[in-house]
Amino acid sequence: MAAQTLLAITTRGPGLYEFTREAAAFVAGAGIATGLLTVFVRHTSCSLLIQENADPDVRVDLDAFFRRLVPSADDPAMDYLVHRAEGPDDMPAHLKAALTPVSLSIPVMGGRLALGTWQGIYLFEHRARPHRREVVLHLA
């Protein structure tokens, strides 16, 4: 038995957007007690993370770290970039997505996600402008 759905996540710019509650509701409604939830984002300029969801400073620090690691294409350190078709955040967004996963696997036990106490599921938006992102949830 398997179940599948598509989530739409609207972003307002760079940052982490939690969707643990939506994923948990899908799993609870699927009627599958034991399995594996695959989470897959259908884009090349955002990614997925399992990260702490208790202290918002964790998300702030992650954003700051990735901005330092991969600055905007208009930063002099990024002069080597060729792909700039969609603005100075375009290629840096692809680089950040290459460094972080676009799919996650989460065990399901007793009809619930087997996440730890402080773990949440996030879409990690790397682009500056708002987007509508699609995330596929597949439970088998």
Side-chain angles (χ1 to χ4, degrees):
M1 188 151 99
Q4 195 171 68
T5 194
L6 185 68
L7 295 179
I9 299 173
T10 302
T11 67
R12 298 170 305 284
L16 289 133
Y17 297 84
E18 187 173 7
F19 63 98
T20 310
R21 188 173 302 143
E22 293 87 343
F26 165 72
V27 168
I32 299 173
T34 303
L36 187 65
L37 177 67
T38 301
V39 184
F40 177 77
V41 65
R42 300 175 64 182
H43 304 278
T44 60
S45 57
C46 64
S47 54
L48 299 169
L49 291 178
I50 293 177
Q51 199 45 254
E52 179 177 331
N53 64 0
D55 186 348
D57 287 344
V58 171
R59 294 186 295 279
V60 170
D61 289 346
L62 279 168
D63 278 336
F65 171 78
F66 274 94
R67 278 195 310 275
R68 286 184 69 185
L69 183 66
V70 184
S72 176
D74 53 10
D75 184 294
M78 303 301 275
D79 282 346
Y80 66 91
L81 294 179
V82 176
H83 179 73
R84 296 167 182 260
E86 296 177 39
D89 70 323
D90 187 21
M91 190 60 210
H94 293 295
L95 292 171
K96 291 172 187 175
L99 295 171
T100 51
V102 295
S103 68
L104 303 168
S105 297
I106 305 167
V108 171
M109 300 168 47
R112 298 175 52 147
L113 295 170
L115 293 171
T117 302
W118 308 115
Q119 289 181 316
I121 309 168
Y122 292 90
L123 178 112
F124 195 4
E125 178 62 70
H126 303 305
R127 295 301 306 267
R129 65 181 177 84
H131 282 81
R132 182 185 177 276
R133 302 301 194 170
E134 294 182 344
V135 176
V136 177
L137 303 180
H138 179 84
L139 177 58

